Each structure stands twice: as structure tokens, then as C-alpha cells.
Amino acid sequence: MTSYKTDRARAAAQAADSAVYGRRRFGAGFFLGLVILVILAFVLGFVLVGGLGETLRVRLGATALSLLVATPLTFVLGFFVGMFGRVRRMGMGIVVGALVGTIVLAGLFLLLR
């Protein structure tokens, strides 16, 4: 039989582990969302343009336009993953990573336009 003090220590250790794993899942989700968005936007941009001999400016414009499709798809993926309790933080990391990726790619488009 364990004492109340031992149970409290075990619960505190479990909560600390849960917080650490939650931050790790958020970080992994952030990176995953960023990578998924960038790859999806570039792939859709290549499909949108079609020709291989296009300039970087045209490719970047097509990628920026394809963000209108890639960002909501990545958000849906992140919110779907976030519906499950154990990986909720990973899902929110995917959403935040997709948002940051959208801002970075749209900013590159506006700067190089």
C-alpha cells in the first residue's frame, strides 16, 4: 500500500512528463505542418504552371497562388489530428506551422514580385 505522499509525487512526475511530451509533440507538429505546407504548395505550383522552362518569378507566383489550396488543407489535417486527445498538441503545432509557412511563402512572393 502506498502513502498519500508517494501518490502525490507519482502524479506530479506524470504531469511533468506529460508537459514535456506535449511540448515535444507541438514542436514535431510545427515542423510537420511547415514541411507539409511547403511541399504541397510547391507541388501544386508546379502542376499549376505546367512547363519546366518557367522562371523563378513565375514558379513563386504559382506557389503563392497554390497557398490558397494548400493552407486550408493543412489546417484541416491539423484540426483532424487535434481532435484526438493524446496528440492534440501535435495537431495545433501542424496548424501553427502551416500558418507560419503561409506567411513566409507569401512574404517571399511579395518581396520578390
Side-chain angles (χ1 to χ4, degrees), residues 35-59:
V35 168
I36 288 173
L37 178 90
V38 169
I39 289 174
L40 188 60
F42 276 114
V43 166
L44 290 174
F46 272 91
V47 169
L48 186 63
V49 172
L52 291 176
E54 298 296 334
T55 64
L56 177 65
R57 184 172 292 180
V58 173
R59 289 275 179 221

Side-chain angles (χ1 to χ4, degrees), residues 18 21-30 77-96:
S18 177
Y21 288 130
R23 284 191 296 272
R24 286 182 184 170
R25 285 186 187 111
F26 183 84
F30 179 84
L77 175 70
F79 285 125
F80 178 73
V81 170
M83 285 176 31
F84 303 103
R86 194 158 175 90
V87 289
R88 181 167 287 132
R89 290 231 178 152
M90 180 179 275
M92 295 306 103
I94 290 173
V95 170
V96 171

